[in-house]
């Protein structure tokens, strides 16, 4: 039993890791088919992972409602909107005489599910991200004061890019457009490249540790 | 004007204003919109996943093409759900082992190829170009990312930033100068990323404000105007009640 609980998962990780690391170097139709198949499999398994996440969300808010914690009504709103969207998205539409099954439009006509997307999700998502502009600006005011040379450089770069991204900025400071292009395509690209190389080296090291069973945190703790 | 569009205009305006009330302070209207957002987003994801995974990746291939091998990932996926049953929770490890193993195996060669070798190849470019008939040329066009001058700047940036993050060598002497150059590049990049993000958010805000202006039109029944007044009224009411409950305003 200990083998099934501890050694078997490590063995599966090792076998899968080695097989798919080698797959890249085998230019054969069978190898390509293996990659296509496993990619599809991972998408299917990912769907089950979503079930785990949603169940966890349900559990959390059900607890809040059961215990009548402060703000439990909002959990009810969350439940209602989630279940409502699912029912509308998967349910039967009498006006279209067919099952909606995630279709936002049918023959060019917007479904109720499409209505939820257009008039609820898009405004909510857009505004939620838009208000971050105010908080970023407020945080910037507090932290960007040019206390050191490095902070001054950061501030100047940020101002140039902000000016260069809008027509008014280019009108006021004509060089800001070109300067922004240069900062983004050359200076920013070089830093991103260096960071990407560093992250990649770390990811490879982590993958090797996982394949050889040195890193086991993904298996979780517990008595089993 | 169709009723669904009219209703949509009122709902979209109301939700936009409710979220914007957070600029004043955290309040019940914002919380309502926030929880609606989470609920609708999760519901939307569930519906889309059902369509993509259950219908297109599982049901259609099995029912129409007889791809019974798909029962294997279904089985692995079901093993994941074993986490909810303590006695057999260990079975979920098999599913995680499969996903993590495949992911790690796929990552190694692809990361080396795309993120290391390709990035190094693009960084280490010729500093001079040979011209026909002998001699070399050095292009200094800053606007051309492929010019020789930009190639030098890119090389200095990549090497200095990598050196800054290389802690096995003490940053003293010439190393200190290189690390300082790396910091300079990092600061410029962070500033650029910040400016870029702020402007992206501004663009979203302009989009929302544009919708509010459009929905202020009489053909929609002026929802922007009425709902703005209602929202302000509700906020005043809520603040008054809060102040009455705790006179010190805390």
């Amino acid at each position: 039993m200990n083998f099934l609980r501890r050694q078997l998962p490590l063995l599966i990780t090792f076998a899968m890791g080695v097989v798919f690391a080698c797959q890249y170097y085998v230019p054969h139709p069978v190898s390509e088919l293996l990659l296509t198949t496993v990619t599809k499999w991972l998408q299917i398994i990912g769907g089950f992972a979503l079930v785990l996440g949603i169940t966890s969300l349900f559990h959390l808010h059900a607890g809040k409602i059961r215990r009548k914690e402060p703000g439990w009504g909002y959990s009810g709103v969350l439940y209602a909107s989630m279940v409502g969207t699912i029912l509308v998205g998967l349910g039967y539409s009498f006006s279209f005489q067919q099952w909606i099954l995630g279709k936002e439009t049918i023959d060019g006509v917007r479904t109720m599910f499409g209505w939820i997307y257009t008039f609820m999700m898009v405004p909510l998502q857009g505004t939620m991200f838009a208000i971050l502009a105010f908080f970023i600006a407020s945080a910037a005011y507090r932290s960007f004061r040019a206390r050191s040379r490095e902070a001054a450089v950061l501030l100047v770069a940020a101002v140039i890019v902000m000016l260069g991204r809008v027509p008014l900025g280019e009108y006021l400071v004509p060089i800001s457009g070109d300067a922004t292009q240069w900062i983004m395509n050359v200076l920013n690209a070089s830093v991103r490249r260096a960071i990407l190389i560093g992250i990649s080296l770390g990811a490879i090291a982590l993958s090797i540790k996982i394949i050889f069973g040195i890193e086991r945190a993904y298996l979780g703790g517990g008595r089993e | 004007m169709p009723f669904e569009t009219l209703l949509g205009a009122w709902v979209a305006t109301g939700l936009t204003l409710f979220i914007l009330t957070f600029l004043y302070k955290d309040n019940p209207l914002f919380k309502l919109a926030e929880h609606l957002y989470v609920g609708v987003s999760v519901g939307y994801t569930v519906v889309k996943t059902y369509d993509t995974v259950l219908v297109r990746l599982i049901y259609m291939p099995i029912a129409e093409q007889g791809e019974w091998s798909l029962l294997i990932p279904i089985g692995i996926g079901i093993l994941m759900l074993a986490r909810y049953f303590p006695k057999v929770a260990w079975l979920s490890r098999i599913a995680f082992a499969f996903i993590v193993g495949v992911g790690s195996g796929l990552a190694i060669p692809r990361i080396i190829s795309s993120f290391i070798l390709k990035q190094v190849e693009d960084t280490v470019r010729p500093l001079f170009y040979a011209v026909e008939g002998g001699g070399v040329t050095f292009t200094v066009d800053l606007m051309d990312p492929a010019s020789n001058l930009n190639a030098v700047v890119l090389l200095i940036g990549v090497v200095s930033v990598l050196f800054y993050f290389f802690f096995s060598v003490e940053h003293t002497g010439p190393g200190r100068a290189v690390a300082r150059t790396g910091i300079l590049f990092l600061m410029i990049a962070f500033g650029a990323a910040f400016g870029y993000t702020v402007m992206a958010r501004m663009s979203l805000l302009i989009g929302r404000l544009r919708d509010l202006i459009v929905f202020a039109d009489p053909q929609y029944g002026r929802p922007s105007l009425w709902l703005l007044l209602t929202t302000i009224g509700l906020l005043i009411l809520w603040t008054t009640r809060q102040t009455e409950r705790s006179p010190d305003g805390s």
Side-chain angles (χ1 to χ4, degrees):
Chain A
M1 204 60 174
N2 196 41
F3 168 78
L4 289 175
R5 290 182 177 188
R6 289 199 174 276
Q7 271 77 46
L8 183 64
L10 293 175
L11 209 63
I12 291 172
T13 307
F14 177 76
M16 290 299 131
V18 171
V19 166
F20 286 98
C22 295
Q23 180 279 330
Y24 185 80
Y25 302 99
V26 184
H28 191 274
V30 175
S31 164
E32 296 298 324
L33 181 69
L34 184 68
L35 179 66
T36 316
T37 308
V38 85
T39 307
K40 202 194 279 185
W41 284 19
L42 285 179
Q43 278 180 286
I44 293 172
I45 298 168
F48 285 90
L50 184 74
V51 175
L52 272 184
I54 289 168
T55 321
S56 168
L57 188 74
F58 256 100
H59 198 67
L60 177 79
H61 286 277
K64 279 187 177 179
I65 294 172
R66 202 172 43 244
R67 289 189 297 273
K68 294 235 178 339
E69 282 182 17
W72 64 272
Y74 299 117
S75 298
V77 170
L78 190 146
Y79 263 123
S81 53
M82 179 165 49
V83 174
T85 308
I86 294 171
L87 288 178
V88 164
L90 298 179
Y92 186 81
S93 167
F94 289 101
S95 53
F96 290 103
Q97 298 286 309
Q98 61 176 287
W99 293 90
I100 297 298
L101 299 177
K103 290 193 246 339
E104 282 158 30
T105 54
I106 294 174
D107 298 331
V109 181
R110 190 188 287 133
T111 61
M112 188 64 190
F113 186 61
W115 185 92
I116 287 180
Y117 178 78
T118 311
F119 293 112
M120 290 183 83
M121 239 184 95
V122 171
L124 282 168
Q125 199 163 32
T127 321
M128 196 64 93
F129 283 105
I131 58 170
L132 285 179
F134 294 98
F135 297 114
I136 292 176
S138 142
Y141 175 74
R142 276 172 280 164
S143 57
F144 272 15
R145 276 170 293 179
R147 291 182 189 141
S148 63
R149 200 176 56 182
E150 286 81 11
V153 169
L154 193 147
L155 180 68
V156 170
V159 169
I160 292 173
V161 171
M162 281 192 270
L163 284 173
R165 300 284 301 167
V166 285
L168 180 66
E170 278 202 85
Y171 175 74
L172 293 172
V173 187
I175 200 173
S176 63
D178 286 344
T180 300
Q181 286 296 317
W182 186 65
I183 288 174
M184 297 306 287
N185 293 337
V186 179
L187 302 181
N188 189 44
S190 68
V191 172
R192 282 186 59 206
R193 198 168 280 173
I195 290 175
L196 200 62
I197 292 171
I199 291 172
S200 303
L201 290 172
I204 291 169
L206 181 67
S207 297
I208 292 172
K209 280 170 79 178
I210 287 172
I211 290 172
F212 288 101
I214 301 165
E215 171 62 55
R216 303 174 181 191
Y218 67 94
L219 290 175
R223 282 178 287 114
E224 285 82 33
Chain B
M1 172 84 51
F3 173 72
E4 57 149 71
T5 309
L6 204 64
L7 182 68
W10 280 78
V11 170
T13 307
L15 294 177
T16 301
L17 291 171
F18 284 4
I19 296 281
L20 288 176
T21 58
F22 192 68
L23 295 175
Y24 168 58
K25 65 160 92 164
D26 197 9
N27 65 80
L29 295 177
F30 172 76
K31 281 183 186 156
L32 178 76
E34 183 191 29
H35 283 78
L36 257 175
Y37 173 46
V38 176
V40 169
S41 302
V42 172
Y44 185 83
T45 311
V46 170
V47 172
K48 284 293 170 190
T49 307
Y50 172 87
D51 181 48
T52 316
V53 177
L54 215 63
V55 177
R56 289 173 204 272
L57 288 176
I58 298 176
Y59 176 73
M60 282 162 73
I62 290 179
E64 292 169 13
Q65 294 146 32
E67 272 190 56
W68 294 102
S69 63
L70 291 178
L71 291 176
I72 299 170
I74 294 172
I76 296 173
I78 290 171
L79 285 182
M80 263 188 169
L81 306 180
R83 285 189 86 83
Y84 290 116
F85 307 98
K87 281 190 178 175
V88 289
W90 60 272
L91 282 171
S92 65
R93 287 179 173 179
I94 293 172
F96 290 120
F98 178 83
I99 297 169
V100 173
V102 172
S104 303
L106 288 175
I108 295 173
R110 281 158 186 83
I111 286 178
I112 293 174
S113 164
S114 312
F115 294 134
I116 297 184
L117 296 181
K118 186 80 182 89
Q119 298 298 330
V120 171
E121 183 193 335
D122 285 350
T123 305
V124 186
R125 291 203 311 246
L127 298 183
F128 298 97
Y129 290 124
V131 286
E132 278 182 41
V136 290
T137 180
F138 184 85
T139 52
V140 290
D141 182 7
L142 281 175
M143 287 304 107
D144 176 16
S147 72
N148 295 119
L149 180 62
N150 280 334
V152 174
V153 175
L154 263 165
L155 185 65
I156 292 171
V158 173
V159 172
S160 61
V161 171
L162 277 174
F163 184 79
Y164 172 71
F165 285 115
F166 187 65
F167 299 112
S168 301
V169 176
E170 201 177 344
H171 296 168
T172 51
R176 188 166 183 273
V178 178
R180 299 286 298 174
T181 311
I183 293 175
L184 209 63
F185 269 89
L186 278 167
M187 287 300 145
I188 293 171
F190 290 153
F194 174 84
Y196 196 82
T197 309
V198 167
M199 295 321 282
R201 300 284 187 252
M202 281 296 169
S203 165
L204 279 171
L205 184 67
I206 290 166
R208 296 316 311 141
L209 295 179
R210 188 188 156 277
D211 272 9
L212 288 181
I213 292 167
V214 169
F215 294 149
D217 197 87
Q219 64 169 327
Y220 293 99
R222 296 190 188 280
S224 299
L225 184 67
W226 295 118
L227 289 173
L228 179 66
L229 291 173
T230 311
T231 306
I232 292 172
L234 286 170
L235 272 183
I236 291 171
L237 191 72
W238 173 73
T239 310
T240 314
R241 286 186 64 182
Q242 288 286 103
T243 317
E244 281 169 4
R245 275 186 198 166
S246 54
D248 59 343
S250 60

